[in-house]
Amino acid sequence: MLQVSTPPRLEFEIHDGSVFGSILTARCETTVQEMLAPLGWAFLLHGYPYAGLHTRELLQACLHTEAFGRAAEVSSATEYRLRESFLYPSDVNIVACHVNGRRVVPDRWANLADEIHQAVAAHPAAGPMDDTDLTFVGHNTVVVRSHTTRVIVDPWFLPPGEGDFQPIQRRELGPIDAVLITHSHPDHFDLASLLGFARDTPVLVPQVPRESILAIDMARRLTDLGFSDVRPTAWWQEVRIGDIDVTALPFYGEQPTTGAMLHPAVRNAGNTWLVRTPRCSAAFTADSGRDGQGDVQEVALEACRRYGPLDFLFTGYRGWSMYPIQLLKSSIARYLLFVPAPLWTVRQQLMTSVEEAVDLAERWQARFLVPYADGGAPWYWQRGLGPRLDQMPREHVGVDPFPDHVVRAAGQRCPEADGTTAASSTRPLLLRPGDSVVWDGSGLERVRVDGHRWPFAAG
């Protein structure tokens, strides 16, 4: 039995026998950097302004390198098709898990989640959040509760740090009846955090027809680790968990472009989620936005038509507008290879922006709009996620705006000539990591418990 009072330290040992690298390892990013070396050197030697002015010449130069030719079939100065072996890596497997330094091999995986779950459960810390309707753990992680049932969205638990303000730990949340995953990016689909749940816990994941360079086959990987109730869930499919109704909704956006892209069947596969308890309803749209196949704004309209107005909308608000070559400096550099030549110099917006977050809430007729999915606390800032919100606040408006912008946008929607302005019908609700909410249909109470009280000047 593992003897731990804090989250165990887990590392996965992955065999990657693919030709160009897998989404499960860093080798695919190395391949991408090699394929786009002329662009990378331009960034390094001359900076972004130069690379931006010479985008087409630099990308055309990339297409003529030996490294690019190995991973793609180039048919002209601007046209190519990525090889199947690049798009769909094979021979990639998790061969061991290192738990607090102990190596666990596949024949023990069926018991690994049980051991970790039992170790966590051995140190319960029940508190006031048990009787709340929602708990915002932080970033993308939220717990929704009824009187009998609890579900969690995108669980990601980080170890305790210094100071009095601490991240919520798995053990503080008590029993969880189901887990919902939006997509396979590591801040949404974290295997180490998932191993803190009993392996017979239902885990609802997006359907992934075939693991690709843009999407992990989450059902396969969780089953490999010993989870026995993994449920690939189609868009608009409804699932009953205790007395909570869960509906998988379409996930558009956070693709390589907002329009046409190479190999459109290869996507960042995802679900957004609608969760309805006997007391309240909440939707979680994570990093969604719009792409060539659809728009989350239309999803909101259709969901409202089918299921009625929403109580709480949790939505990202970063926008993340950038020119395609800027992807090379991001954590998803491989996206750049899916941008067709006509869009090389066209700015793209991968996610929902501040103003669009309010639009989305209005389309859903949401009572409360909660900006999330962009860090929000020191343990995220240390990983480069989100704007800093401490005594030395720091933001990058175009990439990581303060959540306060959503509050202002909702209050100042449409200015009039006389200086007044019309406000949105939805009410912005700025939650901090560790905040819980009690909602009885008419009045809202915010609950903050010791260890999770927001310590900074703002909010």
Side-chain angles (χ1 to χ4, degrees):
M1 173 67 65
L2 294 169
Q3 299 298 318
V4 294
S5 58
T6 59
R9 179 171 53 85
L10 284 85
E11 296 178 356
F12 293 94
E13 184 180 328
I14 298 172
H15 164 75
D16 189 347
S18 64
V19 180
F20 300 106
S22 160
I23 192 174
L24 291 176
T25 68
R27 194 158 67 84
C28 73
E29 290 298 309
T30 301
T31 296
V32 171
Q33 297 296 331
E34 292 172 350
M35 294 172 66
L36 301 173
L39 178 59
W41 280 110
F43 268 116
L44 182 64
L45 296 175
H46 304 292
Y48 173 72
Y50 173 89
L53 288 173
H54 298 278
T55 293
R56 291 195 174 277
E57 303 97 294
L58 289 167
L59 286 175
Q60 286 176 340
C62 293
L63 267 60
H64 290 92
T65 64
E66 181 181 350
F68 202 99
R70 286 195 296 268
E73 298 176 4
V74 180
S75 57
S76 74
T78 59
E79 295 181 348
Y80 61 89
R81 300 290 293 175
L82 296 165
R83 299 186 189 277
E84 282 279 302
S85 52
F86 179 88
L87 294 172
Y88 300 106
S90 59
D91 190 21
V92 182
N93 297 289
I94 304 173
V95 297
C97 181
H98 296 260
V99 188
N100 289 346
R102 182 185 65 159
R103 188 173 187 267
V104 182
V105 295
D107 62 359
R108 290 279 296 145
W109 283 350
N111 299 319
L112 177 61
D114 288 342
E115 290 191 42
I116 296 174
H117 174 68
Q118 290 168 14
V120 170
H123 299 83
M129 67 180 71
D130 290 346
D131 298 322
T132 62
D133 293 289
L134 300 164
T135 294
F136 180 42
V137 175
H139 195 45
N140 302 288
T141 307
V142 184
V143 179
V144 183
R145 302 179 184 85
S146 70
H147 288 306
T148 65
T149 308
R150 308 177 189 193
V151 301
I152 189 168
V153 183
D154 286 349
W156 188 29
F157 301 107
L158 296 175
E162 299 180 356
D164 296 331
F165 183 44
Q166 293 292 323
I168 290 176
Q169 300 301 318
R170 165 68 188 93
R171 63 189 176 89
E172 297 179 82
L173 299 176
I176 295 292
D177 297 288
V179 177
L180 314 179
I181 303 296
T182 58
H183 60 296
S184 66
H185 287 167
D187 55 331
H188 301 261
F189 180 65
D190 181 60
L191 289 174
S193 295
L194 288 165
L195 285 173
F197 299 93
R199 66 186 179 94
D200 61 352
T201 302
V203 185
L204 280 59
V205 299
Q207 291 186 330
V208 181
R210 184 180 181 187
E211 187 165 277
S212 73
I213 201 69
L214 296 188
I216 296 171
D217 183 345
M218 292 161 274
R220 171 191 168 189
R221 300 305 177 182
L222 287 170
T223 301
D224 286 347
L225 286 176
F227 285 87
S228 60
D229 191 4
V230 184
R231 307 182 189 181
T233 311
W235 292 351
W236 301 107
Q237 181 178 343
E238 299 178 22
V239 179
R240 182 82 168 175
I241 305 292
D243 63 351
I244 293 180
D245 291 308
V246 175
T247 305
L249 302 178
F251 185 112
Y252 299 116
E254 205 179 14
Q255 308 298 334
T257 75
T258 55
M261 57 183 267
L262 300 178
H263 309 284
V266 181
R267 291 174 57 84
N268 171 25
N271 290 348
T272 57
W273 296 99
L274 171 62
V275 180
R276 292 171 293 151
T277 79
R279 282 167 58 101
C280 73
S281 60
F284 305 90
T285 64
D287 300 332
S288 62
R290 68 182 185 279
D291 62 53
Q293 296 188 18
D295 192 328
V296 70
Q297 302 285 342
E298 297 303 315
V299 174
L301 286 173
E302 179 61 18
C304 186
R305 185 188 71 81
R306 294 192 189 194
Y307 305 107
L310 191 65
D311 290 319
F312 298 90
L313 170 63
F314 286 77
T315 183
Y317 60 96
R318 293 179 61 193
W320 202 8
S321 296
M322 62 170 60
Y323 286 103
I325 62 167
Q326 293 177 280
L327 288 165
L328 186 65
K329 313 301 289 184
S330 76
S331 61
I332 48 174
R334 58 191 179 274
Y335 273 32
L336 178 51
L337 297 173
F338 291 81
V339 180
L343 298 180
W344 281 352
T345 55
V346 178
R347 191 180 73 161
Q348 305 295 317
Q349 181 180 306
L350 277 66
M351 300 176 181
T352 295
S353 69
V354 168
E355 289 289 347
E356 288 169 342
V358 185
D359 293 340
L360 190 65
E362 290 176 350
R363 282 172 168 79
W364 224 317
Q365 299 180 37
R367 294 177 184 269
F368 298 98
L369 166 60
V370 185
Y372 87 140
D374 197 17
W379 44 93
Y380 303 117
W381 307 334
Q382 293 160 7
R383 289 161 171 78
L385 289 168
R388 292 187 65 99
L389 298 166
D390 56 9
Q391 297 300 326
M392 295 185 295
R394 204 163 57 237
E395 73 172 337
H396 185 312
V397 175
V399 178
D400 286 318
F402 289 147
D404 309 74
H405 289 289
V406 177
V407 177
R408 285 194 289 273
Q412 302 173 3
R413 289 292 272 169
C414 300
E416 295 284 348
D418 63 1
T420 61
T421 184
S424 175
S425 58
T426 194
R427 175 182 169 187
L429 176 62
L430 191 53
L431 296 182
R432 305 299 189 183
D435 281 357
S436 295
V437 168
V438 176
W439 169 248
D440 63 5
S442 59
L444 182 142
E445 177 188 0
R446 185 195 304 257
V447 178
R448 290 175 171 169
V449 299
D450 290 342
H452 309 305
R453 298 177 185 273
W454 182 253
F456 305 115

